CSV table of all heavy atoms in Angstrom, one decimal:
chain,number,residue,atom,x,y,z
A,35,PRO,N,-7.7,-10.5,19.3
A,35,PRO,CA,-8.6,-11.2,18.4
A,35,PRO,C,-10.0,-10.8,18.7
A,35,PRO,O,-10.4,-10.5,19.9
A,35,PRO,CB,-8.4,-12.6,18.8
A,35,PRO,CG,-7.0,-12.7,19.5
A,35,PRO,CD,-6.9,-11.4,20.2
A,36,LEU,N,-10.9,-10.7,17.7
A,36,LEU,CA,-12.3,-10.3,17.8
A,36,LEU,C,-13.1,-11.3,17.0
A,36,LEU,O,-12.7,-11.7,15.9
A,36,LEU,CB,-12.5,-8.9,17.3
A,36,LEU,CG,-11.8,-7.7,18.0
A,36,LEU,CD1,-12.0,-6.4,17.3
A,36,LEU,CD2,-12.3,-7.6,19.5
A,37,TYR,N,-14.3,-11.5,17.6
A,37,TYR,CA,-15.2,-12.4,16.8
A,37,TYR,C,-16.1,-11.6,15.9
A,37,TYR,O,-16.7,-10.5,16.3
A,37,TYR,CB,-16.1,-13.2,17.8
A,37,TYR,CG,-16.9,-14.3,17.1
A,37,TYR,CD1,-16.3,-15.5,16.8
A,37,TYR,CD2,-18.2,-14.1,16.8
A,37,TYR,CE1,-17.0,-16.5,16.2
A,37,TYR,CE2,-18.9,-15.1,16.1
A,37,TYR,CZ,-18.3,-16.3,15.8
A,37,TYR,OH,-19.0,-17.3,15.2
A,38,LEU,N,-16.2,-12.0,14.7
A,38,LEU,CA,-17.1,-11.4,13.7
A,38,LEU,C,-18.3,-12.1,13.5
A,38,LEU,O,-18.3,-13.3,13.0
A,38,LEU,CB,-16.3,-11.3,12.3
A,38,LEU,CG,-17.1,-10.7,11.2
A,38,LEU,CD1,-17.5,-9.2,11.5
A,38,LEU,CD2,-16.3,-10.7,9.9
A,39,SER,N,-19.5,-11.5,13.9
A,39,SER,CA,-20.8,-12.1,13.7
A,39,SER,C,-21.4,-11.7,12.3
A,39,SER,O,-20.7,-11.0,11.6
A,39,SER,CB,-21.7,-11.7,14.8
A,39,SER,OG,-22.1,-10.4,14.7
A,40,LYS,N,-22.6,-12.0,12.1
A,40,LYS,CA,-23.2,-11.7,10.8
A,40,LYS,C,-23.5,-10.2,10.7
A,40,LYS,O,-23.6,-9.6,9.6
A,40,LYS,CB,-24.6,-12.4,10.7
A,40,LYS,CG,-24.5,-13.8,10.4
A,40,LYS,CD,-24.1,-14.1,8.9
A,40,LYS,CE,-24.2,-15.5,8.5
A,40,LYS,NZ,-23.9,-15.8,7.1
A,41,VAL,N,-23.4,-9.5,11.9
A,41,VAL,CA,-23.8,-8.0,11.8
A,41,VAL,C,-22.7,-7.1,12.3
A,41,VAL,O,-22.7,-5.9,11.9
A,41,VAL,CB,-25.1,-7.7,12.6
A,41,VAL,CG1,-26.3,-8.4,11.9
A,41,VAL,CG2,-24.9,-8.2,14.0
A,42,GLN,N,-21.7,-7.6,13.0
A,42,GLN,CA,-20.6,-6.7,13.5
A,42,GLN,C,-19.5,-7.4,14.2
A,42,GLN,O,-19.6,-8.6,14.5
A,42,GLN,CB,-21.2,-5.6,14.4
A,42,GLN,CG,-21.7,-6.1,15.7
A,42,GLN,CD,-22.4,-5.0,16.5
A,42,GLN,OE1,-23.0,-4.1,16.0
A,42,GLN,NE2,-22.3,-5.2,17.8
A,43,LEU,N,-18.4,-6.7,14.4
A,43,LEU,CA,-17.3,-7.2,15.2
A,43,LEU,C,-17.6,-7.0,16.7
A,43,LEU,O,-18.3,-6.0,17.1
A,43,LEU,CB,-16.0,-6.4,14.9
A,43,LEU,CG,-15.1,-6.8,13.8
A,43,LEU,CD1,-14.1,-5.8,13.5
A,43,LEU,CD2,-14.5,-8.2,14.1
A,44,ASP,N,-17.1,-7.9,17.5
A,44,ASP,CA,-17.2,-7.7,19.0
A,44,ASP,C,-16.6,-6.3,19.3
A,44,ASP,O,-15.5,-5.9,18.8
A,44,ASP,CB,-16.4,-8.8,19.7
A,44,ASP,CG,-17.2,-10.0,19.9
A,44,ASP,OD1,-18.4,-10.1,19.6
A,44,ASP,OD2,-16.5,-11.0,20.3
A,45,GLY,N,-17.2,-5.6,20.2
A,45,GLY,CA,-16.7,-4.3,20.6
A,45,GLY,C,-17.1,-3.2,19.7
A,45,GLY,O,-16.7,-2.0,20.0
A,46,ASP,N,-17.8,-3.4,18.6
A,46,ASP,CA,-18.2,-2.4,17.7
A,46,ASP,C,-19.7,-2.1,17.9
A,46,ASP,O,-20.4,-2.9,18.5
A,46,ASP,CB,-17.9,-2.8,16.3
A,46,ASP,CG,-17.9,-1.6,15.3
A,46,ASP,OD1,-17.3,-0.6,15.7
A,46,ASP,OD2,-18.4,-1.8,14.2
A,47,GLY,N,-20.1,-1.0,17.3
A,47,GLY,CA,-21.6,-0.7,17.3
A,47,GLY,C,-21.9,0.5,16.4
A,47,GLY,O,-21.0,1.3,16.1
A,48,GLN,N,-23.1,0.6,16.1
A,48,GLN,CA,-23.6,1.7,15.2
A,48,GLN,C,-24.8,2.4,16.0
A,48,GLN,O,-25.5,1.7,16.7
A,48,GLN,CB,-24.1,1.2,13.9
A,48,GLN,CG,-23.0,0.6,13.0
A,48,GLN,CD,-22.8,-0.9,13.4
A,48,GLN,OE1,-23.7,-1.6,13.8
A,48,GLN,NE2,-21.5,-1.3,13.3
A,49,ALA,N,-25.0,3.7,15.7
A,49,ALA,CA,-26.0,4.4,16.4
A,49,ALA,C,-27.3,4.4,15.6
A,49,ALA,O,-28.3,4.0,16.2
A,49,ALA,CB,-25.5,5.9,16.6
A,50,ASP,N,-27.3,4.8,14.4
A,50,ASP,CA,-28.6,4.8,13.6
A,50,ASP,C,-28.6,3.5,12.7
A,50,ASP,O,-28.1,3.5,11.6
A,50,ASP,CB,-28.6,6.1,12.7
A,50,ASP,CG,-29.9,6.2,12.0
A,50,ASP,OD1,-30.7,5.3,12.0
A,50,ASP,OD2,-30.1,7.3,11.4
A,51,LEU,N,-29.3,2.5,13.3
A,51,LEU,CA,-29.4,1.2,12.6
A,51,LEU,C,-30.2,1.3,11.3
A,51,LEU,O,-30.2,0.3,10.5
A,51,LEU,CB,-29.9,0.2,13.5
A,51,LEU,CG,-29.0,-0.1,14.8
A,51,LEU,CD1,-29.6,-1.2,15.7
A,51,LEU,CD2,-27.6,-0.5,14.3
A,52,ALA,N,-30.9,2.4,11.1
A,52,ALA,CA,-31.7,2.5,9.8
A,52,ALA,C,-30.8,2.6,8.6
A,52,ALA,O,-31.1,2.2,7.5
A,52,ALA,CB,-32.7,3.6,9.9
A,53,VAL,N,-29.6,3.2,8.9
A,53,VAL,CA,-28.7,3.5,7.7
A,53,VAL,C,-27.3,3.0,7.9
A,53,VAL,O,-26.5,3.0,7.0
A,53,VAL,CB,-28.6,5.0,7.5
A,53,VAL,CG1,-30.0,5.6,6.9
A,53,VAL,CG2,-28.2,5.8,8.7
A,54,HIS,N,-27.0,2.5,9.1
A,54,HIS,CA,-25.7,1.9,9.4
A,54,HIS,C,-25.8,0.5,10.0
A,54,HIS,O,-26.8,0.2,10.6
A,54,HIS,CB,-24.9,2.8,10.4
A,54,HIS,CG,-24.7,4.2,9.9
A,54,HIS,ND1,-23.8,4.4,8.9
A,54,HIS,CD2,-25.2,5.4,10.3
A,54,HIS,CE1,-23.8,5.8,8.7
A,54,HIS,NE2,-24.6,6.3,9.5
A,55,GLY,N,-24.8,-0.3,9.7
A,55,GLY,CA,-24.8,-1.7,10.2
A,55,GLY,C,-25.8,-2.6,9.6
A,55,GLY,O,-26.4,-2.3,8.5
A,56,GLY,N,-26.0,-3.8,10.2
A,56,GLY,CA,-26.9,-4.8,9.6
A,56,GLY,C,-26.1,-5.7,8.7
A,56,GLY,O,-24.9,-5.6,8.5
A,57,PRO,N,-26.8,-6.8,8.2
A,57,PRO,CA,-26.1,-7.8,7.5
A,57,PRO,C,-25.4,-7.4,6.2
A,57,PRO,O,-24.3,-7.9,5.9
A,57,PRO,CB,-27.3,-8.8,7.1
A,57,PRO,CG,-28.3,-8.5,8.1
A,57,PRO,CD,-28.2,-7.1,8.5
A,58,ASP,N,-25.9,-6.4,5.5
A,58,ASP,CA,-25.2,-5.9,4.3
A,58,ASP,C,-24.1,-5.0,4.6
A,58,ASP,O,-23.2,-4.7,3.7
A,58,ASP,CB,-26.2,-5.1,3.4
A,58,ASP,CG,-27.1,-6.1,2.6
A,58,ASP,OD1,-26.7,-7.3,2.4
A,58,ASP,OD2,-28.1,-5.7,2.1
A,59,LYS,N,-24.0,-4.5,5.9
A,59,LYS,CA,-22.9,-3.5,6.2
A,59,LYS,C,-22.3,-3.9,7.6
A,59,LYS,O,-22.2,-3.1,8.5
A,59,LYS,CB,-23.6,-2.1,6.3
A,59,LYS,CG,-24.0,-1.6,4.9
A,59,LYS,CD,-24.6,-0.2,5.0
A,59,LYS,CE,-26.0,-0.3,5.5
A,59,LYS,NZ,-26.7,1.0,5.5
A,60,ALA,N,-21.9,-5.1,7.6
A,60,ALA,CA,-21.3,-5.6,8.9
A,60,ALA,C,-20.0,-5.0,9.2
A,60,ALA,O,-19.6,-4.8,10.3
A,60,ALA,CB,-21.2,-7.2,8.9
A,61,LEU,N,-19.2,-4.8,8.1
A,61,LEU,CA,-17.8,-4.2,8.3
A,61,LEU,C,-17.6,-3.1,7.2
A,61,LEU,O,-18.0,-3.2,6.1
A,61,LEU,CB,-16.8,-5.2,8.0
A,61,LEU,CG,-16.5,-6.3,9.1
A,61,LEU,CD1,-15.5,-7.3,8.6
A,61,LEU,CD2,-16.1,-5.7,10.4
A,62,CYS,N,-17.1,-2.0,7.7
A,62,CYS,CA,-16.7,-0.9,6.8
A,62,CYS,C,-15.2,-1.0,6.5
A,62,CYS,O,-14.4,-1.1,7.5
A,62,CYS,CB,-17.0,0.4,7.4
A,62,CYS,SG,-16.6,1.9,6.3
A,63,VAL,N,-14.8,-0.9,5.2
A,63,VAL,CA,-13.4,-1.0,4.9
A,63,VAL,C,-12.9,0.3,4.2
A,63,VAL,O,-13.7,0.8,3.4
A,63,VAL,CB,-13.2,-2.2,3.9
A,63,VAL,CG1,-11.7,-2.3,3.5
A,63,VAL,CG2,-13.7,-3.5,4.5
A,64,TYR,N,-11.7,0.7,4.6
A,64,TYR,CA,-11.2,2.0,3.9
A,64,TYR,C,-9.8,1.8,3.6
A,64,TYR,O,-9.0,1.2,4.3
A,64,TYR,CB,-11.4,3.2,4.8
A,64,TYR,CG,-11.3,4.5,4.0
A,64,TYR,CD1,-12.4,4.9,3.2
A,64,TYR,CD2,-10.1,5.2,3.9
A,64,TYR,CE1,-12.3,6.1,2.5
A,64,TYR,CE2,-10.1,6.4,3.2
A,64,TYR,CZ,-11.2,6.8,2.4
A,64,TYR,OH,-11.1,7.9,1.7
A,65,SER,N,-9.4,2.3,2.4
A,65,SER,CA,-8.0,2.1,1.9
A,65,SER,C,-7.1,3.2,2.5
A,65,SER,O,-7.3,4.4,2.3
A,65,SER,CB,-8.0,2.1,0.4
A,65,SER,OG,-6.6,2.1,0.0
A,66,THR,N,-6.0,2.8,3.2
A,66,THR,CA,-5.0,3.8,3.6
A,66,THR,C,-4.2,4.3,2.5
A,66,THR,O,-3.5,5.3,2.7
A,66,THR,CB,-4.1,3.1,4.7
A,66,THR,OG1,-3.4,2.0,4.1
A,66,THR,CG2,-4.9,2.6,5.9
A,67,ASP,N,-4.4,3.8,1.3
A,67,ASP,CA,-3.7,4.4,0.1
A,67,ASP,C,-4.2,5.8,-0.1
A,67,ASP,O,-3.5,6.6,-0.7
A,67,ASP,CB,-4.1,3.6,-1.2
A,67,ASP,CG,-3.5,2.2,-1.1
A,67,ASP,OD1,-3.2,1.7,0.0
A,67,ASP,OD2,-3.4,1.5,-2.2
A,68,HIS,N,-5.4,6.1,0.4
A,68,HIS,CA,-6.0,7.5,0.2
A,68,HIS,C,-5.6,8.4,1.3
A,68,HIS,O,-5.8,9.6,1.2
A,68,HIS,CB,-7.5,7.4,0.2
A,68,HIS,CG,-8.1,6.5,-0.9
A,68,HIS,ND1,-7.6,6.5,-2.1
A,68,HIS,CD2,-9.2,5.7,-0.8
A,68,HIS,CE1,-8.3,5.6,-2.8
A,68,HIS,NE2,-9.3,5.1,-2.1
A,69,TYR,N,-5.0,7.9,2.4
A,69,TYR,CA,-4.7,8.8,3.6
A,69,TYR,C,-3.8,10.0,3.2
A,69,TYR,O,-4.1,11.1,3.7
A,69,TYR,CB,-4.1,7.9,4.7
A,69,TYR,CG,-5.0,7.3,5.7
A,69,TYR,CD1,-6.3,6.9,5.2
A,69,TYR,CD2,-4.7,7.2,7.0
A,69,TYR,CE1,-7.2,6.3,6.1
A,69,TYR,CE2,-5.6,6.6,7.9
A,69,TYR,CZ,-6.8,6.2,7.5
A,69,TYR,OH,-7.7,5.6,8.4
A,70,SER,N,-2.8,9.8,2.4
A,70,SER,CA,-1.9,10.9,2.1
A,70,SER,C,-2.7,12.0,1.4
A,70,SER,O,-2.4,13.2,1.6
A,70,SER,CB,-0.7,10.4,1.2
A,70,SER,OG,-1.2,9.8,0.0
A,71,TYR,N,-3.6,11.6,0.5
A,71,TYR,CA,-4.5,12.6,-0.1
A,71,TYR,C,-5.2,13.5,0.9
A,71,TYR,O,-5.3,14.7,0.8
A,71,TYR,CB,-5.4,11.9,-1.1
A,71,TYR,CG,-6.4,12.9,-1.8
A,71,TYR,CD1,-6.1,13.5,-3.0
A,71,TYR,CD2,-7.6,13.1,-1.2
A,71,TYR,CE1,-7.0,14.3,-3.6
A,71,TYR,CE2,-8.5,14.0,-1.8
A,71,TYR,CZ,-8.2,14.6,-3.0
A,71,TYR,OH,-9.1,15.4,-3.7
A,72,TRP,N,-5.9,12.8,1.8
A,72,TRP,CA,-6.7,13.4,2.8
A,72,TRP,C,-5.9,14.2,3.8
A,72,TRP,O,-6.4,15.3,4.3
A,72,TRP,CB,-7.6,12.4,3.5
A,72,TRP,CG,-8.6,11.8,2.6
A,72,TRP,CD1,-8.7,10.5,2.3
A,72,TRP,CD2,-9.6,12.5,1.9
A,72,TRP,NE1,-9.8,10.3,1.4
A,72,TRP,CE2,-10.3,11.5,1.2
A,72,TRP,CE3,-10.0,13.8,1.8
A,72,TRP,CZ2,-11.4,11.8,0.3
A,72,TRP,CZ3,-11.1,14.1,1.0
A,72,TRP,CH2,-11.8,13.1,0.2
A,73,GLU,N,-4.7,13.8,4.1
A,73,GLU,CA,-3.9,14.5,5.1
A,73,GLU,C,-3.5,15.9,4.6
A,73,GLU,O,-3.3,16.8,5.4
A,73,GLU,CB,-2.6,13.7,5.4
A,73,GLU,CG,-2.9,12.5,6.3
A,73,GLU,CD,-1.7,11.7,6.7
A,73,GLU,OE1,-0.8,11.7,5.9
A,73,GLU,OE2,-1.8,11.0,7.7
A,74,GLU,N,-3.5,16.1,3.3
A,74,GLU,CA,-3.2,17.5,2.7
A,74,GLU,C,-4.4,18.4,3.1
A,74,GLU,O,-4.2,19.6,3.2
A,74,GLU,CB,-3.0,17.4,1.2
A,74,GLU,CG,-1.7,16.7,0.8
A,74,GLU,CD,-1.5,16.8,-0.7
A,74,GLU,OE1,-2.2,17.5,-1.4
A,74,GLU,OE2,-0.6,16.1,-1.2
A,75,LEU,N,-5.6,17.8,3.2
A,75,LEU,CA,-6.8,18.6,3.6
A,75,LEU,C,-7.0,18.7,5.0
A,75,LEU,O,-7.4,19.7,5.6
A,75,LEU,CB,-8.0,18.0,2.8
A,75,LEU,CG,-9.3,18.7,3.1
A,75,LEU,CD1,-9.4,20.1,2.6
A,75,LEU,CD2,-10.5,17.8,2.5
Side-chain angles (χ1 to χ4, degrees):
L36 295 173
Y37 191 79
L38 176 62
S39 73
K40 285 286 187 178
V41 293
Q42 65 186 32
L43 274 169
D44 278 352
D46 197 42
Q48 298 81 33
D50 187 352
L51 296 179
V53 292
H54 298 291
D58 280 340
K59 294 178 283 187
L61 288 176
C62 181
V63 181
Y64 200 78
S65 176
T66 59
D67 296 19
H68 301 321
Y69 269 36
S70 59
Y71 176 89
W72 294 118
E73 285 180 334
E74 293 186 9
L75 176 67

